[in-house]
Amino acid sequence: LQPLPCALRCWVRLRLASPSRRPVSLLRSGGGGSAPLSWTRSISSGNSPRPPDTSLFVPVDIKTDFSEDGSVGAELTQPLDKSELLKVLNRFYKRKEIQKLASENGLDARLFHQAFISFRKYVLETETLAADLHIVLNDICCGAGHIDDIYPYFMRHAKQIFPMLDCMDDLRKISDLRVPANWYPEARSIQRKVVFHAGPTNSGKTYHAIQRYLEAKSGVYCGPLKLLAHEIFEKSNSAGVPCDLVTGEERIFVDPDGQQSGHVACTIEMCSVTTPYEVAVIDEIQMIRDPSRGWAWTRALLGLCAEEIHVCGEAAAINFVTELMYTTGEEVEVRNYERLTPFSLMDHALESLDNLQPGDCVVCFSKNDIYSISRQIEVRGLECAVIYGSLPPGTKLSQAKKFNDPSDPCKILVATDAIGMGLNLSIRRIIFNSLVKPSINEKGEKEMDTITTSQALQIAGRAGRFSSTFKEGEVTTMHRDDLPVLKEIMGRAVDPIETAGLHPTAEQIEMFAYHLPEATLSNLIDIFVSLSQVDGLYFVCNVDDFKFLADMIQHIPLNLRSRYVFCTAPINKKQPFVCTTRLLSQFARQFSRDEPLTFDWVCRHISWPPMPPKNIKDLAHLEAVHDVLDLYLWLSYRFMDMFPDANRVRDIQREMDEIIQVGVHNITRLIRASEAQSSESLPSTQLQTPPQVQRRLRGSQGRGQPPKDVSGSSTLGSRLVQEGRLTKDLLQQLRREWSEEQMHPARNEQTHSRTGGGKSRADKKKRK
């Protein structure tokens, strides 16, 4: 067709530009075709919320080779000159007015550039453009239209690749976290009595709250650890009060028919906010500010539907909990408690492991230090128990029982801060091997920081506990330089708690996904956190672990709710077995195929039955396998049909726990085996002291005080072997190298000089 008259083209343009094709309303400011346009703003003026982090907006791929209008645009006008069109588009991109208008409609500089690149590619590479866009571009190229006429079509394309621009107001409403108390209508429908039991460790605060819990007709105990939930479960049933146990991996109903009891002891993430109770106990309330788990305490405090809420924790949380309860119209009754038994900070450090006494607990903040200290204690002819965080609960209880047993020769405990809560231990003296602990900041980054006052008091408070063998406790450090630092830390007031954690729920993420169906779960979480609004009392918890799992299983086809559940699984991403073998991915892939994960399937993937550990690496592997079985049990309560063999898996998990207990009981033998293997693989050119050996040297020498010679041998080599600094194989290798050097001194000297190992001139001159 020949080009149509201008009037007819205008009529066709009006017919084609239906309301669905006009993403932004526009008004002509003048009558001429070349007059610029002014557009109505889509963002209202006034105080607007903080702008989102647009770096999180991932553009959506759109098809560029199809137009519902066919070639109508080219038939009504003429084919577009691509070179002239490129010049027009670049002029459009450089116009300051367009950039400002785009910014007012949600396209900052980053998004504007990305949208323009995509729009330019779409216009230049698409075979047949939409008829209305084709006509507008042709008019501009022919000088009959204004370059600003491209803007509505550019915005239409931008909203296709960035769909969040069209629903930003809805997304902001969904991610508005400023009034979390309103999320729990059942709790808001009753007037709750809140009692705060405040005091240090070993003050009886939790005891008094539990007494009220046992007196009530119904109650729920919410604790931070499975060990604490187990303890309350056993105490309650021993007292004649039927009580169920609910943790992420375990459900125990005392009623033979499986009916729920009036009382339940649970980990805090598992508490029900819809079941009515007479009394609820929330333990360790100070963890409401925890960067990762704080949301669970916030949910329990605001959401538990109980007539009485008994909160236990540090006095540093009193003012904050009181302020938080003002938002719900509930008053807080405070009951203060003093420590039942005293503990004192010693005036001198231990300085050497030779000074250990029965009832001592050496606290370390890394596994390597645990292994090193245990090995040195064994060299001195003493037996020690070992407790650290990644051990199964059964193994921790077994080691605690061994240490507490007066008839057991084990009188020393080496542990991490895992002893801070959940275990009853008869400790006389706490000895801090170090005051530096790895931590995770608000950004999810790992840092090495000096322990806080709260952490120091929590650990130190384990010494001289009420009802233990020792009525008074003592606290000191291993090294002399650390003692004044510890005194300064424990002399400070505990930092007051000022904020509580929140976490996006599955329902909120599902609503986000409705508006952004093409976004990944990790991207949805990022955008949610970026847009979220919280008031001064709250913060959004760290979601890095959630995103780590979301990215790991993104390639597996799952519905959003199932994907969300998999990503909330309690997996320690530091454990190599779970991550390197992608066992979580295998669980999810099998689940996506709608194929049940049977007992035989699990046994094949964990290579059951396992071999007893021969070294520390084997022991760490078994601990990771135990975590995998925990993961299966955790998922079995969310997807019962797909994880049908929970009872059989729990049976082999108990066996695994027993194998690990044997390994921990013989941990010093495993350490020796690991050292022997590492020394065999060590090249002769790398005979430098590794960091863990340096730590041993520092701990055993104790400020220049030599360790005792257990064997009675006077040779240096024998003493080094006995103290665990060298293995026999490494000693023999050193002797062989020394003999070779004595037999061929000239050759060794030439080799030394060729490698630059000779003395420098400055050194020789200085020596002269």
Side-chain angles (χ1 to χ4, degrees):
L1 295 176
Q2 295 296 320
L4 299 176
C6 184
L8 181 57
R9 290 207 313 272
C10 291
W11 178 83
V12 172
R13 189 188 311 168
L14 290 172
R15 294 287 295 173
L16 290 174
S18 61
S20 62
R21 293 178 181 269
R22 289 186 175 184
V24 180
S25 60
L26 52 94
L27 295 172
R28 290 278 183 184
S29 61
S34 61
L37 298 175
S38 64
W39 316 99
T40 58
R41 298 183 179 183
S42 65
I43 297 181
S44 59
S45 60
N47 294 328
S48 58
R50 63 185 174 90
D53 182 359
T54 55
S55 65
L56 304 174
F57 292 2
V58 180
V60 176
D61 293 331
I62 58 174
K63 295 181 179 179
T64 60
D65 57 349
F66 173 77
S67 172
E68 60 184 12
D69 298 328
S71 58
V72 172
E75 293 172 355
L76 292 176
T77 57
Q78 61 186 2
L80 296 171
D81 183 349
K82 299 293 184 179
S83 60
E84 183 64 28
L85 189 56
L86 178 60
K87 296 177 182 178
V88 169
L89 292 174
N90 288 338
R91 280 166 45 211
F92 170 82
Y93 175 75
K94 294 177 182 179
R95 280 182 61 80
K96 298 297 182 183
E97 295 85 351
I98 293 296
Q99 295 176 12
K100 182 179 179 181
L101 193 58
S103 176
E104 292 173 350
N105 284 273
L107 288 177
D108 63 6
R110 180 197 300 270
L111 295 186
F112 179 76
H113 179 74
Q114 287 184 283
F116 173 75
I117 296 298
S118 176
F119 179 69
R120 184 177 64 187
K121 180 180 179 182
Y122 165 74
V123 169
L124 296 177
E125 296 182 4
T126 302
E127 292 293 333
T128 55
L129 292 172
D132 54 349
L133 176 58
H134 187 106
I135 294 173
V136 167
L137 292 174
N138 182 75
D139 284 354
I140 297 172
C141 291
C142 295
H146 195 280
I147 196 169
D148 289 350
D149 291 348
I150 300 175
Y151 180 76
Y153 305 97
F154 167 73
M155 282 302 300
R156 181 173 69 188
H157 182 86
K159 291 182 178 181
Q160 287 177 336
I161 65 170
F162 295 116
M164 61 284 297
L165 296 175
D166 235 359
C167 54
M168 192 62 69
D169 290 341
D170 290 335
L171 296 179
R172 289 189 185 279
K173 289 177 182 177
I174 297 169
S175 59
D176 190 342
L177 309 179
R178 287 176 292 186
V179 193
N182 293 345
W183 302 349
Y184 310 104
E186 290 87 355
R188 301 290 78 78
S189 65
I190 62 174
Q191 187 65 29
R192 306 181 305 171
K193 176 184 177 182
V194 182
V195 181
F196 195 123
H197 301 264
T201 57
N202 195 27
S203 61
K205 57 184 185 296
T206 307
Y207 169 82
H208 287 89
I210 293 300
Q211 290 304 113
R212 179 67 188 95
Y213 163 85
L214 296 175
E215 294 169 0
K217 296 178 181 177
S218 62
V220 57
Y221 168 82
C222 308
L225 299 173
K226 288 183 283 188
L227 285 173
L228 288 170
H230 268 277
E231 182 182 350
I232 301 303
F233 166 73
E234 293 173 356
K235 280 185 178 180
S236 184
N237 286 295
S238 298
V241 179
C243 177
D244 298 333
L245 175 69
V246 177
T247 69
E249 301 80 16
E250 191 173 15
R251 308 284 191 279
I252 298 179
F253 298 101
V254 294
D255 184 85
D257 299 327
Q259 297 295 321
Q260 293 186 4
S261 302
H263 290 70
V264 59
C266 64
T267 46
I268 194 160
E269 287 87 353
M270 299 304 299
C271 69
S272 169
V273 293
T274 57
T275 305
Y277 300 102
E278 182 180 348
V279 169
V281 177
I282 304 175
D283 208 356
E284 306 293 351
I285 188 61
Q286 68 273 6
M287 292 189 70
I288 199 170
R289 66 176 167 191
D290 185 86
S292 300
R293 298 180 65 199
W295 64 269
W297 277 262
T298 306
R299 173 177 174 270
L301 184 59
L302 296 177
L304 280 172
C305 188
E307 298 172 21
E308 295 180 25
I309 306 289
H310 289 258
V311 177
C312 306
E314 297 175 357
I318 293 176
N319 291 339
F320 177 75
V321 171
T322 302
E323 185 177 1
L324 204 60
M325 292 299 96
Y326 282 155
T327 65
T328 64
E330 295 162 337
E331 296 182 359
V332 178
E333 175 189 340
V334 179
R335 300 177 186 174
N336 288 296
Y337 301 84
E338 298 296 330
R339 184 175 169 88
L340 298 175
T341 57
F343 76 86
S344 59
L345 192 57
M346 298 178 65
D347 293 329
H348 59 275
L350 189 72
E351 298 200 60
S352 171
L353 294 177
D354 296 331
N355 299 324
L356 286 173
Q357 299 175 11
D360 281 351
C361 173
V362 182
V363 177
C364 309
F365 293 112
S366 75
K367 272 190 181 181
N368 285 338
D369 288 345
I370 289 274
Y371 301 151
S372 174
I373 296 295
S374 302
R375 179 79 170 90
Q376 293 178 60
I377 290 175
E378 186 218 25
V379 167
R380 286 160 170 78
L382 302 175
E383 189 173 343
C384 67
V386 173
I387 296 175
Y388 49 87
S390 59
L391 288 177
T395 304
K396 291 178 184 175
L397 291 172
S398 172
Q399 290 291 297
K401 182 179 179 181
K402 175 184 176 183
F403 174 70
N404 290 335
D405 187 356
S407 61
D408 196 290
C410 172
K411 302 300 181 185
I412 308 295
L413 175 64
V414 183
T416 64
D417 54 342
I419 64 166
M421 59 179 70
L423 291 168
N424 292 318
L425 297 163
S426 185
I427 298 173
R428 184 184 68 86
R429 181 170 58 175
I430 291 286
I431 303 160
F432 285 92
N433 184 61
S434 170
L435 298 178
V436 177
K437 176 185 176 183
S439 62
I440 305 296
N441 62 19
E442 292 81 359
K443 298 180 181 179
E445 300 167 339
K446 187 175 180 180
E447 296 178 340
M448 297 296 291
D449 289 327
T450 304
I451 59 174
T452 64
T453 301
S454 177
Q455 292 168 338
L457 291 173
Q458 184 79 28
I459 298 169
R462 310 307 289 180
R465 288 181 64 82
F466 184 75
S467 75
S468 73
T469 306
F470 307 103
K471 301 305 179 185
E472 293 186 12
E474 293 179 323
V475 182
T476 188
T477 60
M478 177 68 70
H479 310 295
R480 188 184 307 167
D481 294 344
D482 288 337
L483 189 56
V485 179
L486 180 62
K487 289 182 178 179
E488 194 269 332
I489 291 173
M490 297 184 65
R492 293 196 302 250
V494 178
D495 294 333
I497 293 172
E498 298 176 344
T499 52
L502 296 173
H503 193 282
T505 64
E507 292 75 18
Q508 290 168 328
I509 298 303
E510 282 181 334
M511 287 190 284
F512 248 57
Y514 172 78
H515 291 286
L516 306 174
E518 300 298 324
T520 66
L521 179 54
S522 179
N523 191 226
L524 287 173
I525 289 289
D526 276 335
I527 297 174
F528 184 98
V529 174
S530 171
L531 295 177
S532 62
Q533 301 176 67
V534 295
D535 65 19
L537 294 176
Y538 302 98
F539 68 92
V540 179
C541 284
N542 186 284
V543 293
D544 283 352
D545 286 351
F546 185 99
K547 289 168 52 186
F548 173 82
L549 298 181
D551 291 335
M552 181 185 289
I553 64 173
Q554 179 56 43
H555 63 288
I556 300 173
L558 296 169
N559 64 59
L560 184 66
R561 180 58 71 105
S562 298
R563 190 180 300 277
Y564 183 94
V565 171
F566 271 93
C567 293
T568 56
I571 283 184
N572 180 7
K573 67 181 183 181
K574 297 177 184 177
Q575 287 283 18
F577 181 79
V578 178
C579 298
T580 55
T581 62
R582 296 287 193 250
L583 202 58
L584 176 69
S585 297
Q586 293 175 17
F587 276 20
R589 187 177 294 109
Q590 184 83 348
F591 180 91
S592 70
R593 297 170 182 154
D594 204 23
E595 298 177 2
L597 288 88
T598 63
F599 175 78
D600 293 336
W601 186 94
V602 173
C603 289
R604 282 200 311 274
H605 283 77
I606 64 172
S607 302
W608 183 266
M611 296 293 291
K614 298 179 180 178
N615 50 47
I616 288 297
K617 184 179 179 181
D618 290 348
L619 180 62
H621 175 78
L622 294 182
E623 293 168 6
V625 173
H626 189 278
D627 286 348
V628 170
L629 300 179
D630 255 352
L631 172 63
Y632 182 98
L633 296 174
W634 190 91
L635 290 168
S636 72
Y637 287 107
R638 279 84 183 161
F639 309 108
M640 295 186 180
D641 294 340
M642 298 301 295
F643 296 82
D645 295 330
N647 290 334
R648 298 180 69 185
V649 168
R650 184 172 287 107
D651 289 340
I652 65 171
Q653 190 185 44
R654 293 193 189 99
E655 294 181 38
M656 178 67 72
D657 199 337
E658 293 173 358
I659 296 172
I660 293 174
Q661 287 182 36
V662 174
V664 173
H665 181 74
N666 299 314
I667 193 166
T668 52
R669 180 178 59 81
L670 301 184
I671 295 169
R672 289 198 302 272
S674 298
E675 291 173 344
Q677 290 180 356
S678 63
S679 65
E680 289 172 2
S681 61
L682 187 68
S684 60
T685 57
Q686 297 181 355
L687 294 177
Q688 55 186 3
T689 308
Q692 61 266 30
V693 175
Q694 292 175 2
R695 284 195 293 271
R696 289 184 197 139
L697 291 170
R698 184 184 179 193
S700 61
Q701 288 174 351
R703 307 300 178 194
Q705 182 178 352
K708 292 182 180 178
D709 183 6
V710 179
S711 65
S713 176
S714 59
T715 64
L716 176 61
S718 300
R719 290 209 311 271
L720 291 175
V721 171
Q722 288 292 340
E723 292 162 10
R725 304 184 198 177
L726 286 177
T727 63
K728 293 182 179 179
D729 293 337
L730 187 55
L731 182 60
Q732 291 175 1
Q733 183 177 349
L734 287 171
R735 287 171 176 166
R736 285 196 302 271
E737 292 180 2
W738 175 255
S739 300
E740 291 175 2
E741 288 183 2
Q742 296 303 311
M743 292 172 63
H744 307 285
R747 185 176 61 186
N748 289 318
E749 186 174 343
Q750 291 173 4
T751 304
H752 190 58
S753 62
R754 281 199 305 270
T755 58
K759 297 288 184 182
S760 66
R761 293 182 179 178
D763 289 339
K764 293 178 180 178
K765 187 178 296 184
K766 187 175 181 181
R767 187 175 58 185
K768 290 180 180 179

